[in-house]
C-alpha cells in the first residue's frame, strides 16, 4: 500500500478523484482541504502508481506527492522540534539534492505556530545540513 497527497485547482478535487478512481482499483480518499487537497491510499506500489499516471496522465490532478512519513501534531512548539528532528534524520537521503519547502496552513487552524514560523525552522535546519 502507498499513500499520497493530491491537489487540484480549487473546486476540482472531485473531478481529480473520479479520474483516479477510474485508473486505480481499491483507491481510498480523505479530503484535507475541501475541493482542493486530498490524501489517497492505494494498494499499488509507488512505481506502479507513477507508471499508470505517466501512461494515462489525468487532466484534473495538479500535483501528487508520496507520503513517506507522518508525524502526530500536538499543537505546540514540540511539533516544530519533531519536524526538525525528522528532517535531520533524512540527511543522507537528501545529500547532493536540492530541497524546496512549501507550507499551507488551513483556515481557522488551532495551532500556535504559523506557516512562516514552520518554514523558518525548516529553512534553518536545511541550511544547517548544507
Amino acid at each position: 500500500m502507498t499513500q499520497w497527497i493530491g491537489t487540484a485547482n480549487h473546486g476540482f478535487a472531485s473531478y481529480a478523484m473520479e479520474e483516479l478512481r477510474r485508473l486505480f482499483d481499491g483507491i481510498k480518499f480523505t479530503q484535507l482541504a475541501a475541493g482542493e487537497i486530498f490524501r489517497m491510499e492505494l494498494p499499488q506500489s509507488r512505481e506502479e502508481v507513477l507508471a499508470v499516471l505517466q501512461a494515462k496522465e489525468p487532466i484534473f490532478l495538479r500535483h501528487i506527492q508520496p507520503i513517506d512519513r507522518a508525524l502526530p501534531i500536538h499543537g505546540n512548539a514540540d511539533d516544530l522540534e519533531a519536524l526538525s528532528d525528522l528532517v535531520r534524520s533524512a540527511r543522507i537521503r537528501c545529500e547532493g539534492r536540492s530541497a524546496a519547502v512549501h507550507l499551507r496552513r488551513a483556515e481557522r487552524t488551532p495551532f500556535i505556530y504559523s506557516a512562516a514560523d514552520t518554514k523558518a525552522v525548516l529553512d534553518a535546519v536545511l541550511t544547517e545540513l548544507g
Side-chain angles (χ1 to χ4, degrees):
M1 179 182 73
T2 55
Q3 299 176 3
W4 305 80
I5 300 290
T7 68
N9 286 337
H10 186 71
F12 288 89
S14 61
Y15 298 110
M17 289 187 287
E18 184 56 34
E19 286 180 315
L20 292 164
R21 277 188 190 94
R22 292 178 185 166
L23 293 173
F24 300 103
D25 291 329
I27 192 168
K28 296 177 185 175
F29 294 102
T30 304
Q31 288 275 344
L32 299 177
E36 191 173 0
I37 305 170
F38 48 93
R39 181 177 175 266
M40 304 176 283
E41 289 186 19
L42 296 108
Q44 294 83 3
S45 71
R46 183 181 289 193
E47 294 76 19
E48 291 170 315
V49 170
L50 294 174
V52 168
L53 292 174
Q54 289 173 348
K56 298 179 182 177
E57 190 173 330
I59 295 169
F60 294 102
L61 182 67
R62 187 170 180 199
H63 299 103
I64 185 170
Q65 44 281 327
I67 299 173
D68 292 324
R69 293 187 184 118
L71 292 174
I73 296 175
H74 304 288
N76 57 39
D78 291 341
D79 294 343
L80 298 180
E81 186 63 34
L83 187 57
S84 296
D85 291 343
L86 179 76
V87 172
R88 282 186 189 97
S89 71
R91 179 183 191 146
I92 293 171
R93 186 174 183 197
C94 298
E95 282 183 353
R97 297 181 178 183
S98 60
V101 176
H102 175 83
L103 298 165
R104 294 186 57 146
R105 182 181 168 124
E107 292 181 32
R108 298 180 299 274
T109 184
F111 306 126
I112 61 170
Y113 44 84
S114 69
D117 294 336
T118 307
K119 184 172 180 346
V121 167
L122 291 178
D123 285 346
V125 172
L126 290 169
T127 299
E128 165 193 319
L129 298 175

